[in-house]
């Protein structure tokens, strides 16, 4: 398609960054519910409820001012969101922006695949493609799975099942053109996608959610940058990053989405940027934004 060719270069291999600490795979989260007939809660649950009641509200204005100062002089649009899933505390930065997913779309491709066929029933070659698509960000594996889920139509249908509202697959003959990479999305949708990986109400089964989180928790050395920069000691990150250079502007889109988990809490995090002159500049922006938001959700112990 001429329009698509004008929009982007093929996704290029990621240069190897300075290695950071690896994050181990994370177990699935089991949702806990209490019966309305039970009048006395376990002690641990009462203590947890009391702790949540004492949590301070998120200072949205202060965070926005902090981000505005940090992003002044850094080119291109930025949108971000963090949600503490247990308490519902949330912060949004420029949520009306609609930016491209780049390789973060690979998480939705995998979830679409598993909505149709559970992991244990997939052929070995397909499971291998899923593994290298997430852990190595392999584009050819993503192309094959994109076709397997039915391309743009299957991608969009899966998004609707998962509760997404602003993410539509790009139609056309996109083999080797990475149509999935120029999918526009919102941070709200990316947070919904992360919630669907830990919620018992997700249309995705528990074992399949665990499989996706396991792959996101074991991305290869050199691709664990992004939201992981904001983890405290004892926390772990399950993430998928994306990077794409536009043909028209020669500028980079740099994205990181995932979960920060620890101390009994899950934080769904999404940071999308475009317009960086170099990919490393975009990575620094993503990490700087994440760190400046997360410091008001909890304090890291020394």
């Amino acid at each position: 398609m001429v329009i698509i060719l004008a929009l982007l270069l093929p996704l290029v291999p990621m240069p190897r960054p300075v290695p950071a600490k690896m994050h181990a795979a994370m177990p699935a989260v089991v949702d806990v519910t209490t019966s309305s007939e039970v009048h006395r809660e376990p002690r641990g649950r009462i203590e947890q409820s009391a702790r949540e009641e004492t949590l301070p509200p998120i200072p949205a204005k202060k965070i926005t001012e902090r981000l505005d100062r940090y992003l002044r002089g850094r080119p291109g649009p930025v949108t971000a969101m963090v949600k503490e899933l247990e308490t519902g505390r949330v912060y949004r930065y420029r949520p009306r922006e609609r930016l491209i997913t780049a390789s973060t779309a690979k998480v939705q491709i995998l979830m679409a695949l598993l909505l149709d066929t559970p992991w244990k029933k997939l052929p070995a070659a397909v499971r291998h493609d899923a593994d290298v698509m997430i852990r190595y960000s392999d584009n050819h594996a993503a192309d094959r799975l994109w076709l397997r889920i039915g391309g743009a139509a299957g991608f969009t249908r899966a998004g609707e099942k998962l509760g997404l509202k602003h993410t539509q697959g790009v139609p056309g003959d996109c083999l080797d053109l990475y149509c999935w990479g120029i999918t526009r999305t919102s941070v709200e949708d990316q947070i919904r996608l992360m919630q669907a990986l830990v919620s018992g109400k997700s249309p995705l089964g528990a074992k399949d959610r665990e499989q996706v989180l396991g792959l996101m928790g074991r991305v290869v050395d050199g691709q664990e940058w992004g939201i992981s920069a904001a983890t405290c000691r004892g926390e772990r990150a399950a993430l998928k990053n994306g990077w794409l250079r536009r043909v028209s502007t020669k500028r980079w889109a740099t994205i990181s989405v995932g979960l920060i988990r620890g101390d009994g809490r899950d934080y769904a995090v999404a940071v999308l940027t475009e317009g960086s002159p170099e990919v490393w500049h975009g990575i620094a922006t993503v990490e700087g934004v994440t760190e400046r938001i997360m410091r008001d959700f909890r304090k890291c112990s020394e």
Side-chain angles (χ1 to χ4, degrees), residues 67-76 94 251 275 277 281 285:
L67 291 180
D68 285 344
R69 287 193 301 271
Y70 172 66
L71 293 170
R72 195 170 294 132
R74 301 184 81 87
R94 300 178 182 172
R251 297 260 170 171
H281 187 281
T285 298

Side-chain angles (χ1 to χ4, degrees), residues 42-218:
R43 179 188 175 100
R45 184 148 179 105
I46 293 172
E47 290 174 351
Q48 181 180 356
S49 298
R51 183 174 64 166
E52 290 176 357
E53 288 174 2
T54 62
L55 289 172
I58 299 302
K61 182 178 179 181
K62 182 177 80 170
I63 298 174
T64 297
E65 291 172 350
R66 181 189 299 148
L67 291 180
D68 285 344
R69 287 193 301 271
Y70 172 66
L71 293 170
R72 195 170 294 132
R74 301 184 81 87
V78 175
T79 178
M81 180 173 169
V82 174
K83 185 174 184 179
E84 187 174 15
L85 300 185
E86 286 74 19
T87 66
R89 294 194 305 166
V90 66
Y91 172 76
R92 301 173 179 86
Y93 185 73
R94 300 178 182 172
R96 293 177 181 269
E97 292 280 5
R98 302 290 182 262
L99 303 182
I100 62 173
T101 58
S103 283
T104 58
K106 292 168 182 173
V107 174
Q108 188 171 332
I109 292 173
L110 177 54
M111 293 173 77
L113 179 71
L114 296 175
L115 284 171
D116 183 60
T117 307
W119 178 267
K120 65 181 181 180
K121 294 185 178 181
L122 290 172
V126 176
R127 292 198 302 268
H128 175 74
D129 274 347
D131 182 289
V132 298
M133 177 179 70
I134 300 298
R135 295 183 57 241
Y136 290 82
S137 205
D138 186 281
N139 294 330
H140 297 301
D143 275 341
R144 289 189 289 270
L145 296 183
W146 174 261
L147 295 177
R148 187 178 182 90
I149 67 172
F155 184 87
T156 300
R157 279 196 305 272
E160 291 170 351
K161 289 180 182 178
L162 294 162
L164 308 193
K165 299 179 180 179
H166 312 125
T167 309
Q168 304 290 322
V170 178
D173 182 6
C174 298
L175 192 62
D176 292 327
L177 297 178
Y178 312 123
C179 271
W180 38 264
I182 56 172
T183 304
R184 290 196 171 274
T185 191
S186 67
V187 285
E188 294 270 5
D189 272 4
Q190 293 306 302
I191 295 300
R192 291 185 184 102
L193 205 61
M194 295 305 103
Q195 284 183 281
L197 288 175
V198 295
S199 172
K201 297 180 180 179
S202 172
L204 207 58
K207 292 293 185 181
D208 290 324
R209 298 198 306 270
E210 183 178 359
Q211 184 64 46
V212 178
L213 286 171
L215 295 176
M216 292 172 65
R218 293 184 290 110

